[in-house]
Amino acid sequence: MRKTGIRRLREMLGSTMAFVAVTGILVVMIAFCVTGTVISQSDMGMQEVENYYREQERVLLQNTREQLREMGYTNCGVTLTRVVDAEGNREYTFTIHHGKIDKMSDTERDELAKLLACGEGIDENCTFYHEFLLYD
């Protein structure tokens, strides 16, 4: 009778160990699935933020070109360069070129840059600069 009791004990321990092992594997698999879902959702959140900024940049560029056109600088070349640092702070530089601007004094170009100042209110982590591409 003793042998059957030991056998039963071994069978119970064996099935318990198998249950624990299978349960452990399932828990690890579920953890990986949940982690993958969370990472995927955070990527989607980052994509939505990036799409928001791209749309804001498009509108800023369009508004700057329109503003220059209204000031008499038709066919003005305007580019927008963006730099994003590790903390997510954004630095934008508008580079503008036009024949009339080439002929301006530095003071006049500074005044024009002040008139073109825009972008306040998009985000407090954004900084804007204007530079003029001059041809000699």
Side-chain angles (χ1 to χ4, degrees):
M1 236 210 236
R2 207 167 220 291
K3 289 184 179 180
T4 55
I6 292 175
R7 280 188 190 168
R8 270 195 192 158
L9 184 58
R10 282 186 185 166
E11 286 175 7
M12 284 182 16
L13 285 177
S15 64
T16 303
M17 294 293 274
F19 174 76
V20 169
V22 169
T23 303
I25 290 170
L26 289 174
V27 167
V28 169
M29 287 174 46
I30 290 170
F32 279 126
C33 291
V34 169
T35 303
T37 302
V38 169
I39 288 172
S40 176
Q41 288 176 351
S42 71
D43 287 346
M44 185 59 152
M46 293 300 291
Q47 186 63 39
E48 288 173 2
V49 169
E50 186 62 29
N51 288 342
Y52 165 78
Y53 279 113
R54 284 187 192 264
E55 177 61 21
Q56 295 302 315
E57 293 162 9
R58 186 190 66 72
V59 169
L60 276 173
L61 196 54
Q62 182 179 351
N63 289 347
T64 300
R65 286 182 176 139
E66 183 61 33
Q67 190 176 6
L68 285 163
R69 190 173 310 125
E70 289 172 1
M71 297 169 108
Y73 301 102
T74 56
N75 296 324
C76 193
V78 182
T79 59
L80 178 62
T81 306
R82 162 182 42 129
V83 176
V84 182
D85 66 16
E87 288 83 35
N89 297 318
R90 294 170 178 264
E91 182 178 291
Y92 293 101
T93 302
F94 287 91
T95 303
I96 303 165
H97 57 91
H98 190 277
K100 288 182 184 178
I101 296 173
D102 288 351
K103 298 172 185 161
M104 291 179 160
S105 68
D106 288 340
T107 306
E108 291 172 318
R109 280 191 287 273
D110 289 341
E111 289 298 317
L112 179 59
K114 288 177 187 172
L115 289 172
L116 293 173
C118 60
E120 298 81 14
I122 288 180
D123 193 326
E124 66 274 357
N125 296 326
C126 296
T127 308
F128 296 88
Y129 301 99
H130 292 82
E131 63 181 29
F132 298 101
L133 184 62
L134 303 176
Y135 297 104
D136 293 327

